[in-house]
């Protein structure tokens, strides 16, 4: 994450996604610190260790890759249906941007909030009880944040006009959060990172090179 940020900062990538992205050093460094703490707490809240020997490479890598490919294909189809312009960072700058961005988003969207909330509610407040139930509630709430903010923003900008299409897109974005959270719970934090980087590789890097 830090290396990717350093590379695209050094290259001086000029793109609105980079300019508006929260991936500044002031955001990335605390994310790395709190992410490290969350990784240490994860084992106490029911999440597998990133090197858990009980998790096979098929579970840690293959399943996330397949899910990432499927999700990216749906993203491409949605983009075509919405007639989206080229919003992607151009190649080869897309590689460091989406590499660092993908890891960063998994840390701030999922790793830090979910682990800390499950730990605080279940381990601290409930004295270690109802850990799985707390996780489910936190996972659903965390998965709702992005679709709510994105769909509302799209309606305000006039990108979305169909309620039915908006509802479908809401479900899709919700799934795009619930999938990596579930992978994290079942297979450890490396699995959702692999999922997101696979998705970003196809949607943000390879597809724009082919289509635009």
């Amino acid at each position: 994450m830090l290396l990717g940020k350093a590379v695209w900062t050094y290259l001086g990538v000029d793109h609105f996604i980079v300019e508006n992205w929260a991936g500044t050093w002031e955001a990335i460094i605390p994310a790395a610190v709190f992410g490290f703490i969350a990784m240490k707490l994860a084992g106490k809240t029911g999440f597998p260790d990133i090197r858990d020997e009980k998790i096979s490479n098929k579970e840690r890598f293959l399943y996330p890759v397949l899910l990432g490919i499927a999700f990216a294909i749906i993203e491409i189809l949605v983009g075509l249906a919405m007639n989206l312009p080229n919003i992607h960072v151009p190649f080869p700058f897309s590689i460091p941007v989406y590499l660092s961005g993908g890891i960063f988003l998994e840390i701030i969207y999922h790793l830090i909030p979910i682990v800390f909330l499950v730990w605080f509610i279940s381990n601290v407040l409930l004295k270690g009880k109802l850990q799985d139930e707390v996780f489910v509630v936190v996972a659903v709430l965390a998965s709702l944040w992005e679709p709510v903010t994105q769909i509302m923003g799209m309606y305000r900008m006039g990108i979305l006009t169909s309620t039915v299409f908006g509802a479908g897109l809401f479900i899709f974005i919700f799934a795009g959060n619930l999938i990596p959270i579930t992978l994290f719970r079942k297979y450890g934090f490396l699995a959702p990172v692999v999922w997101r980087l696979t998705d970003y590789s196809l949607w943000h890097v390879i597809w724009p090179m082919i289509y635009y």
Side-chain angles (χ1 to χ4, degrees):
M1 180 176 71
L2 295 174
L3 179 60
K5 164 66 174 174
V7 170
W8 59 262
T9 299
Y10 175 77
L11 294 174
V13 179
D14 183 19
H15 190 275
F16 73 92
I17 287 181
V18 174
E19 293 173 355
N20 295 321
W21 185 49
T24 61
W25 288 116
E26 292 80 4
I28 285 182
I29 293 175
V33 172
F34 283 104
F36 177 79
I37 297 172
M39 290 293 292
K40 294 297 182 182
L41 290 175
K44 299 179 180 180
T45 51
F47 294 91
D49 185 81
I50 197 169
R51 296 167 296 182
D52 194 329
E53 295 181 356
K54 292 181 291 185
I55 306 298
S56 68
N57 286 332
K58 181 185 294 185
E59 295 168 326
R60 188 177 283 120
F61 296 106
L62 180 59
Y63 294 164
V65 166
L66 294 176
L67 287 170
I69 292 172
F71 195 82
I73 291 172
I74 298 174
E75 277 181 313
I76 290 169
L77 295 176
V78 170
L80 291 173
M82 296 179 65
N83 196 27
L84 289 178
N86 186 4
I87 59 173
H88 312 278
V89 175
F91 182 85
F93 306 116
S94 54
I95 295 176
V97 168
Y98 293 115
L99 173 64
S100 59
I103 298 172
F104 177 75
L105 291 180
E106 277 305 313
I107 291 173
I108 64 168
Y109 275 17
H110 302 145
L111 174 63
I112 294 174
I114 289 174
V115 170
F116 274 96
L117 283 172
V118 173
W119 171 78
F120 181 72
I121 296 171
S122 177
N123 292 34
V124 177
L125 297 182
L126 300 178
K127 308 299 181 183
K129 299 177 182 178
L130 302 176
Q131 197 172 80
D132 289 337
E133 290 81 357
V134 170
F135 164 75
V136 170
V137 173
V138 170
V140 171
L141 292 176
S143 299
L144 284 170
W145 170 255
E146 187 178 8
V148 168
T149 55
Q150 284 200 11
I151 296 300
M152 289 177 62
M154 288 180 183
Y155 273 116
R156 283 197 298 267
M157 291 186 291
I159 298 175
L160 278 178
T161 55
S162 169
T163 303
V164 175
F165 189 82
L169 191 58
F170 182 95
I171 295 171
F172 176 67
I173 299 173
F174 175 81
N177 283 271
L178 193 60
I179 289 171
I181 292 173
T182 303
L183 288 171
F184 179 26
R185 187 67 172 180
K186 291 176 66 68
Y187 307 132
F189 186 62
L190 190 57
V193 171
V194 171
W195 174 86
R196 187 171 290 274
L197 293 183
T198 301
D199 170 43
Y200 278 15
S201 296
L202 290 175
W203 168 234
H204 287 302
V205 180
I206 297 174
W207 171 247
M209 294 171 61
I210 297 172
Y211 185 72
Y212 294 103

